[in-house]
């Protein structure tokens, strides 16, 4: 045995004990082998999405568990407020890419590890990029991003005569934390419940009465919400959409919120609070991140090696008062927007009165859809027709008048199909309208 092999045997001895001999918790189909460790160290390719509180812990855990082919993607830069828990970063790193600094740190500290950074949005890559990975691990603070990557992995599935090709499944391990609470879950696209199957598990966003925000603000959050929902659309500094990950957007809202808070003698508006209100973030706790990341890394190891039965499929963690965990199996939703093979149908109770803006409200406010900024197109008499798209300025201007028209005035009928595009999914959703009124001419 060479010196290098001897060091390797000692360094990874704890893993070899699990992978090279059976145990009481082994998977029923597990076959111990020395080749399994070689697979995770040389072949298995992982994608970590997010290099923040959870992401730093995940990268550290996975690198120390033997995974060497790791990619990390994050669009954020490092801020001073990150340093109390995102331990891969130092003060001199402020302003730099989280993904790049995190990758460099791990590559220096863990010999042989090759972390490849991607300083961009997950939406910047197509299916060719995501198809190369064996597993995807998410350490995100955004439900929108979770839904997008969930939709991407589902779009990679192959079906032959209605039967799912198991080799096309890329498992997704999702972690999330909110203060002293968190979750870890294992999603097998096409097999187990996906993100969209369980949208109702995510907490509703906090909202404040508009009259309070506009007339009698009492809290710093009221000032921030005023700027967010009233002042931003009025002044339109960078388009109609607020990007909570864009420092320019956050800084503008912060400065305007400070002005309003001074006007009403309200204290407490901080840059971090603005981020929290805009992105609906609850302050993070380092220990919770560590626990959830460890759970997720363990599930990655189990799935990559088949040494143990993986989580089935959702674990809740709470250490507000003591430590409490609970595991349950989230069930697939029969008509899930993302993973079901069932065509979507939307019942319209009063098509004579329902306007296009009301239809947009359904897609945004309904618990079943929870979209953010949907764009609608359809086919009428065999020709494509854009009903409304707000994300492209010139198209928004041309289609704005459609918002006040009824569905019938727009030429939509019972059975018409609407194509809905939204940032919550990489795929276009097809929805068939079903008119409830029997007196409508179709």
């Amino acid at each position: 045995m060479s010196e290098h092999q001897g060091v390797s045997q000692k360094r990874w001895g704890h893993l070899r004990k699990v992978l090279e001999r059976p145990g009481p918790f082994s998977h029923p189909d597990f076959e111990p082998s020395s080749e399994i460790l070689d697979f995770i160290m040389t072949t298995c390719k992982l994608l970590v999405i997010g290099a923040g509180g959870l992401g730093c812990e995940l990268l550290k855990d996975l690198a120390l568990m033997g995974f060497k082919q790791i990619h990390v993607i994050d669009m954020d830069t490092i801020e001073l407020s990150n340093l109390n828990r995102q331990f891969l970063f130092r003060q001199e790193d402020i302003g730099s890419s989280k993904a790049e600094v995190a990758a460099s740190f791990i590559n220096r500290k863990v010999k042989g590890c090759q972390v490849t950074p991607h300083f961009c949005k997950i939406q910047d890559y197509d299916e060719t990029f995501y198809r190369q990975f064996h597993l995807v691990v998410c350490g995100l603070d955004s439900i929108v991003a979770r839904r997008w990557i969930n939709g991407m992995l589902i779009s990679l599935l192959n079906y032959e005569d209605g039967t799912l090709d198991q080799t096309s499944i890329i498992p997704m391990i999702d972690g999330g934390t909110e203060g002293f609470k968190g979750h870890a879950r294992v999603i097998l696209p096409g097999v187990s419940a996906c993100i969209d199957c369980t949208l109702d598990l995510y907490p509703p966003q906090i909202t404040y009465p508009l009259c309070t925000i506009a007339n009698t603000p009492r809290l710093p959050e009221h000032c921030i919400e005023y700027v967010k929902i009233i002042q931003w659309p009025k002044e339109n500094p960078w388009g109609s959409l607020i990007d909570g990950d864009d420092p320019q957007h956050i800084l503008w809202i912060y400065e305007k919120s400070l002005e309003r808070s001074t006007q009403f003698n309200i204290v407490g508006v901080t840059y971090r609070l603005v981020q929290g209100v805009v992105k609906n973030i609850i302050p993070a706790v380092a220990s919770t991140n560590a626990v959830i990341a460890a759970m997720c890394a363990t599930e990655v190891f189990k799935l990559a090696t088949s040494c143990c039965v993986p989580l089935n499929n959702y674990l809740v963690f709470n250490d507000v008062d003591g430590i409490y965990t609970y595991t349950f199996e989230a069930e697939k939703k029969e008509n899930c927007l993302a993973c079901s093979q069932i065509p979507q149908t939307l019942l319209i109770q009063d098509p004579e009165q329902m306007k296009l803006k009301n239809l947009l409200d359904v897609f945004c406010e309904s618990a079943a859809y929870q979209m953010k900024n949907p764009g609608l197109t359809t086919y009428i008499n065999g020709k494509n027709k854009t009903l409304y798209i707000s994300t492209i300025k010139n198209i928004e201007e041309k289609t704005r008048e459609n918002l006040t028209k009824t569905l019938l005035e727009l030429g939509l009928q019972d059975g018409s199909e609407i194509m809905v595009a939204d940032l919550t999914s990489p795929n276009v959703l097809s929805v068939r309208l079903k008119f409830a009124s029997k007196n409508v001419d179709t």
Side-chain angles (χ1 to χ4, degrees):
M1 181 185 297
S2 68
E3 182 180 351
H4 173 74
Q5 289 174 320
V7 172
S8 179
Q9 287 278 356
K10 186 176 181 180
R11 170 86 190 254
W12 307 109
H14 58 299
L15 296 181
R16 294 188 182 279
K17 291 176 183 177
V18 175
L19 301 176
E20 297 181 7
R21 64 187 186 188
F25 300 107
S26 294
H27 192 288
D29 300 324
F30 176 62
E31 295 183 6
S33 169
S34 60
E35 296 179 359
I36 302 175
L37 182 59
D38 293 334
F39 166 73
I40 68 170
M41 296 183 73
T42 61
T43 306
C44 188
K45 187 178 286 189
L46 306 179
L47 174 64
V48 175
I49 302 179
L54 266 180
C56 285
E57 293 281 358
L58 282 167
L59 287 169
K60 176 259 296 180
D61 291 347
L62 293 170
L64 294 177
M65 292 181 83
F67 293 98
K68 293 188 175 182
Q69 303 298 320
I70 304 174
H71 288 239
V72 58
I73 183 168
D74 196 301
M75 64 176 288
D76 286 347
T77 54
I78 299 163
E79 300 174 7
L80 178 64
S81 61
N82 300 149
L83 303 185
N84 70 328
R85 63 194 182 283
Q86 298 174 25
F87 55 87
L88 300 183
F89 311 139
R90 300 293 180 267
Q91 190 150 358
E92 59 267 25
D93 298 322
I94 291 173
S96 301
S97 158
K98 285 186 177 182
E100 292 172 358
V101 174
S104 176
F105 191 103
I106 295 294
N107 291 340
R108 288 198 312 272
K109 292 293 184 179
V110 183
K111 187 177 180 180
C113 195
Q114 299 173 8
V115 181
T116 303
H118 302 272
F119 179 33
C120 60
K121 298 178 181 180
I122 56 175
Q123 294 87 350
D124 290 344
Y125 288 123
D126 61 15
E127 61 180 27
T128 304
F129 173 78
Y130 291 102
R131 202 185 296 276
Q132 67 180 302
F133 299 103
H134 291 91
L135 297 108
V136 173
V137 200
C138 296
L140 293 162
D141 60 7
S142 165
I143 296 175
V144 171
R146 282 189 176 92
R147 293 180 68 183
W148 192 92
I149 191 63
N150 175 73
M152 171 56 73
L153 296 182
I154 289 170
S155 72
L156 299 180
L157 298 175
N158 292 325
Y159 289 86
E160 297 177 5
D161 298 325
T163 303
L164 177 61
D165 178 5
Q166 298 291 317
T167 62
S168 66
I169 298 174
I170 300 176
M172 171 176 160
I173 298 87
D174 176 57
T177 64
E178 288 184 344
F180 290 98
K181 301 175 184 178
H183 77 263
R185 66 186 299 185
V186 172
I187 296 172
L188 302 177
V191 177
S192 61
C194 76
I195 296 291
D196 275 40
C197 285
T198 56
L199 275 183
D200 56 342
L201 291 178
Y202 293 99
Q205 296 184 357
I206 298 172
T207 58
Y208 301 99
L210 188 58
C211 58
T212 300
I213 294 171
N215 303 313
T216 56
R218 300 183 304 277
L219 303 172
E221 290 86 351
H222 293 163
C223 301
I224 299 167
E225 282 289 331
Y226 176 85
V227 175
K228 175 184 170 184
I229 69 174
I230 296 176
Q231 204 164 343
W232 180 286
K234 188 181 296 183
E235 299 188 26
N236 208 21
W238 285 284
S240 59
L241 270 180
I242 296 175
D243 185 349
D245 294 309
D246 189 321
Q248 280 187 306
H249 291 205
I250 297 297
L251 182 60
W252 189 90
I253 296 173
Y254 169 61
E255 291 173 347
K256 298 295 183 181
S257 300
L258 270 180
E259 292 175 9
R260 186 164 176 81
S261 66
T262 302
Q263 179 186 349
F264 286 90
N265 296 316
I266 296 171
V267 296
V269 172
T270 64
Y271 186 87
R272 188 174 183 184
L273 180 63
V274 170
Q275 285 183 305
V277 172
V278 171
K279 298 177 66 177
N280 295 287
I281 296 173
I282 296 174
V285 175
S287 58
T288 312
N289 284 333
V291 171
I292 297 300
M295 292 176 180
C296 291
T298 301
E299 294 306 318
V300 171
F301 185 80
K302 286 166 23 178
L303 286 166
T305 64
S306 297
C307 65
C308 296
V309 178
L311 175 69
N312 185 28
N313 51 29
Y314 201 113
L315 184 143
V316 182
F317 173 82
N318 187 333
D319 64 346
V320 174
D321 298 306
I323 296 179
Y324 170 80
T325 62
Y326 176 70
T327 305
F328 66 94
E329 181 180 359
E331 296 183 2
K332 286 191 70 174
K333 191 176 179 181
E334 185 179 342
N335 62 340
C336 173
L337 297 179
C339 71
S340 76
Q341 302 296 303
I342 299 174
Q344 298 295 319
T345 300
L346 178 61
L347 180 64
I348 306 298
Q349 293 290 352
D350 192 354
E352 293 178 316
Q353 299 297 320
M354 189 173 199
K355 297 178 180 179
L356 185 64
K357 63 181 180 180
N358 303 133
L359 184 61
L360 283 170
D361 289 341
V362 171
F363 287 122
C364 292
E365 297 172 8
S366 167
Y369 296 99
Q370 296 189 36
M371 295 183 176
K372 298 300 177 185
N373 206 23
L376 309 182
T377 59
T378 189
Y379 285 99
I380 296 177
N381 299 324
K383 295 182 179 180
N384 184 279
K385 179 177 181 178
T386 300
L387 297 172
Y388 183 73
I389 293 177
S390 66
T391 53
I392 304 173
K393 185 177 181 180
N394 63 332
I395 297 180
E396 195 280 332
E397 291 172 351
K398 291 179 181 178
T399 58
R400 190 182 302 162
E401 62 181 16
N402 289 342
L403 293 174
T404 55
K405 293 181 180 180
T406 67
L407 302 187
L408 295 180
E409 288 172 340
L410 290 168
L412 296 170
Q413 303 176 346
D414 182 37
S416 291
E417 284 194 16
I418 292 180
M419 278 60 72
V420 188
D422 189 63
L423 51 79
T424 55
S425 174
N427 309 306
V428 175
L429 177 68
S430 178
V431 178
R432 184 181 295 274
L433 301 180
K434 182 178 181 181
F435 290 176
S437 175
K438 295 181 180 179
N439 299 322
V440 175
D441 251 345
T442 58

PDB file of all heavy atoms in Angstrom, residues 337 371 375 377 418-422 425-431:
ATOM      1  N   LEU A 337     -49.715  21.038  -9.738  1.00  0.00           N
ATOM      2  CA  LEU A 337     -49.367  21.857 -10.893  1.00  0.00           C
ATOM      3  C   LEU A 337     -48.066  21.408 -11.531  1.00  0.00           C
ATOM      4  O   LEU A 337     -47.898  21.482 -12.752  1.00  0.00           O
ATOM      5  CB  LEU A 337     -49.214  23.325 -10.475  1.00  0.00           C
ATOM      6  CG  LEU A 337     -50.434  24.053  -9.926  1.00  0.00           C
ATOM      7  CD1 LEU A 337     -50.038  25.476  -9.565  1.00  0.00           C
ATOM      8  CD2 LEU A 337     -51.568  24.056 -10.928  1.00  0.00           C
ATOM      9  N   MET A 371     -48.755  32.104  -7.546  1.00  0.00           N
ATOM     10  CA  MET A 371     -47.794  32.665  -8.486  1.00  0.00           C
ATOM     11  C   MET A 371     -47.424  34.091  -8.084  1.00  0.00           C
ATOM     12  O   MET A 371     -48.084  34.699  -7.252  1.00  0.00           O
ATOM     13  CB  MET A 371     -48.368  32.626  -9.902  1.00  0.00           C
ATOM     14  CG  MET A 371     -48.573  31.211 -10.424  1.00  0.00           C
ATOM     15  SD  MET A 371     -49.176  31.182 -12.127  1.00  0.00           S
ATOM     16  CE  MET A 371     -49.183  29.409 -12.430  1.00  0.00           C
ATOM     17  N   GLY A 375     -47.655  35.713 -16.573  1.00  0.00           N
ATOM     18  CA  GLY A 375     -47.920  36.240 -17.902  1.00  0.00           C
ATOM     19  C   GLY A 375     -48.835  35.265 -18.627  1.00  0.00           C
ATOM     20  O   GLY A 375     -48.635  34.047 -18.558  1.00  0.00           O
ATOM     21  N   THR A 377     -50.949  33.950 -22.110  1.00  0.00           N
ATOM     22  CA  THR A 377     -51.167  33.913 -23.554  1.00  0.00           C
ATOM     23  C   THR A 377     -52.192  32.833 -23.845  1.00  0.00           C
ATOM     24  O   THR A 377     -52.475  31.975 -22.999  1.00  0.00           O
ATOM     25  CB  THR A 377     -49.871  33.613 -24.329  1.00  0.00           C
ATOM     26  OG1 THR A 377     -49.356  32.341 -23.904  1.00  0.00           O
ATOM     27  CG2 THR A 377     -48.820  34.684 -24.085  1.00  0.00           C
ATOM     28  N   ILE A 418     -55.286  28.467 -21.639  1.00  0.00           N
ATOM     29  CA  ILE A 418     -54.421  29.611 -21.359  1.00  0.00           C
ATOM     30  C   ILE A 418     -53.047  29.089 -20.951  1.00  0.00           C
ATOM     31  O   ILE A 418     -52.938  28.173 -20.129  1.00  0.00           O
ATOM     32  CB  ILE A 418     -55.004  30.490 -20.236  1.00  0.00           C
ATOM     33  CG1 ILE A 418     -56.278  31.183 -20.714  1.00  0.00           C
ATOM     34  CG2 ILE A 418     -54.003  31.539 -19.781  1.00  0.00           C
ATOM     35  CD1 ILE A 418     -56.917  32.063 -19.672  1.00  0.00           C
ATOM     36  N   MET A 419     -52.007  29.650 -21.548  1.00  0.00           N
ATOM     37  CA  MET A 419     -50.640  29.320 -21.171  1.00  0.00           C
ATOM     38  C   MET A 419     -50.156  30.354 -20.159  1.00  0.00           C
ATOM     39  O   MET A 419     -50.199  31.556 -20.435  1.00  0.00           O
ATOM     40  CB  MET A 419     -49.721  29.294 -22.395  1.00  0.00           C
ATOM     41  CG  MET A 419     -49.776  27.986 -23.174  1.00  0.00           C
ATOM     42  SD  MET A 419     -51.418  27.599 -23.814  1.00  0.00           S
ATOM     43  CE  MET A 419     -51.547  28.800 -25.127  1.00  0.00           C
ATOM     44  N   VAL A 420     -49.715  29.860 -18.998  1.00  0.00           N
ATOM     45  CA  VAL A 420     -49.324  30.739 -17.896  1.00  0.00           C
ATOM     46  C   VAL A 420     -47.831  30.569 -17.613  1.00  0.00           C
ATOM     47  O   VAL A 420     -47.379  29.467 -17.281  1.00  0.00           O
ATOM     48  CB  VAL A 420     -50.135  30.432 -16.619  1.00  0.00           C
ATOM     49  CG1 VAL A 420     -49.860  31.485 -15.557  1.00  0.00           C
ATOM     50  CG2 VAL A 420     -51.622  30.355 -16.926  1.00  0.00           C
ATOM     51  N   ALA A 421     -47.076  31.652 -17.755  1.00  0.00           N
ATOM     52  CA  ALA A 421     -45.642  31.643 -17.439  1.00  0.00           C
ATOM     53  C   ALA A 421     -45.413  32.475 -16.186  1.00  0.00           C
ATOM     54  O   ALA A 421     -45.973  33.565 -16.043  1.00  0.00           O
ATOM     55  CB  ALA A 421     -44.841  32.205 -18.603  1.00  0.00           C
ATOM     56  N   ASP A 422     -44.587  31.944 -15.269  1.00  0.00           N
ATOM     57  CA  ASP A 422     -44.337  32.641 -14.007  1.00  0.00           C
ATOM     58  C   ASP A 422     -42.955  32.276 -13.505  1.00  0.00           C
ATOM     59  O   ASP A 422     -42.421  31.198 -13.821  1.00  0.00           O
ATOM     60  CB  ASP A 422     -45.400  32.258 -12.974  1.00  0.00           C
ATOM     61  CG  ASP A 422     -45.318  33.106 -11.718  1.00  0.00           C
ATOM     62  OD1 ASP A 422     -45.518  34.321 -11.807  1.00  0.00           O
ATOM     63  OD2 ASP A 422     -45.039  32.539 -10.645  1.00  0.00           O
ATOM     64  N   SER A 425     -41.732  28.792 -11.903  1.00  0.00           N
ATOM     65  CA  SER A 425     -41.505  27.551 -12.640  1.00  0.00           C
ATOM     66  C   SER A 425     -40.766  27.833 -13.942  1.00  0.00           C
ATOM     67  O   SER A 425     -41.009  28.855 -14.592  1.00  0.00           O
ATOM     68  CB  SER A 425     -42.837  26.855 -12.943  1.00  0.00           C
ATOM     69  OG  SER A 425     -42.643  25.720 -13.774  1.00  0.00           O
ATOM     70  N   PRO A 426     -39.884  26.917 -14.356  1.00  0.00           N
ATOM     71  CA  PRO A 426     -39.219  27.082 -15.656  1.00  0.00           C
ATOM     72  C   PRO A 426     -40.120  26.655 -16.806  1.00  0.00           C
ATOM     73  O   PRO A 426     -39.783  26.852 -17.977  1.00  0.00           O
ATOM     74  CB  PRO A 426     -38.007  26.145 -15.537  1.00  0.00           C
ATOM     75  CG  PRO A 426     -38.475  25.056 -14.621  1.00  0.00           C
ATOM     76  CD  PRO A 426     -39.403  25.723 -13.635  1.00  0.00           C
ATOM     77  N   ASN A 427     -41.253  26.042 -16.476  1.00  0.00           N
ATOM     78  CA  ASN A 427     -42.151  25.502 -17.487  1.00  0.00           C
ATOM     79  C   ASN A 427     -43.418  26.341 -17.590  1.00  0.00           C
ATOM     80  O   ASN A 427     -43.849  26.963 -16.623  1.00  0.00           O
ATOM     81  CB  ASN A 427     -42.520  24.055 -17.144  1.00  0.00           C
ATOM     82  CG  ASN A 427     -41.295  23.207 -16.867  1.00  0.00           C
ATOM     83  OD1 ASN A 427     -40.390  23.149 -17.683  1.00  0.00           O
ATOM     84  ND2 ASN A 427     -41.260  22.565 -15.702  1.00  0.00           N
ATOM     85  N   VAL A 428     -44.016  26.336 -18.758  1.00  0.00           N
ATOM     86  CA  VAL A 428     -45.285  27.031 -18.979  1.00  0.00           C
ATOM     87  C   VAL A 428     -46.427  26.099 -18.586  1.00  0.00           C
ATOM     88  O   VAL A 428     -46.455  24.935 -18.975  1.00  0.00           O
ATOM     89  CB  VAL A 428     -45.430  27.455 -20.454  1.00  0.00           C
ATOM     90  CG1 VAL A 428     -46.804  28.060 -20.702  1.00  0.00           C
ATOM     91  CG2 VAL A 428     -44.337  28.454 -20.818  1.00  0.00           C
ATOM     92  N   LEU A 429     -47.343  26.619 -17.779  1.00  0.00           N
ATOM     93  CA  LEU A 429     -48.489  25.839 -17.318  1.00  0.00           C
ATOM     94  C   LEU A 429     -49.662  26.049 -18.268  1.00  0.00           C
ATOM     95  O   LEU A 429     -50.020  27.188 -18.588  1.00  0.00           O
ATOM     96  CB  LEU A 429     -48.879  26.265 -15.904  1.00  0.00           C
ATOM     97  CG  LEU A 429     -50.111  25.578 -15.290  1.00  0.00           C
ATOM     98  CD1 LEU A 429     -49.828  24.115 -15.022  1.00  0.00           C
ATOM     99  CD2 LEU A 429     -50.529  26.295 -14.013  1.00  0.00           C
ATOM    100  N   SER A 430     -50.267  24.956 -18.712  1.00  0.00           N
ATOM    101  CA  SER A 430     -51.447  25.033 -19.568  1.00  0.00           C
ATOM    102  C   SER A 430     -52.694  24.814 -18.715  1.00  0.00           C
ATOM    103  O   SER A 430     -52.802  23.801 -18.017  1.00  0.00           O
ATOM    104  CB  SER A 430     -51.371  23.982 -20.675  1.00  0.00           C
ATOM    105  OG  SER A 430     -52.535  24.018 -21.474  1.00  0.00           O
ATOM    106  N   VAL A 431     -53.615  25.779 -18.758  1.00  0.00           N
ATOM    107  CA  VAL A 431     -54.837  25.704 -17.953  1.00  0.00           C
ATOM    108  C   VAL A 431     -56.051  25.817 -18.878  1.00  0.00           C
ATOM    109  O   VAL A 431     -56.148  26.747 -19.672  1.00  0.00           O
ATOM    110  CB  VAL A 431     -54.880  26.846 -16.910  1.00  0.00           C
ATOM    111  CG1 VAL A 431     -56.182  26.792 -16.114  1.00  0.00           C
ATOM    112  CG2 VAL A 431     -53.680  26.758 -15.972  1.00  0.00           C
TER     113      VAL A 431
END
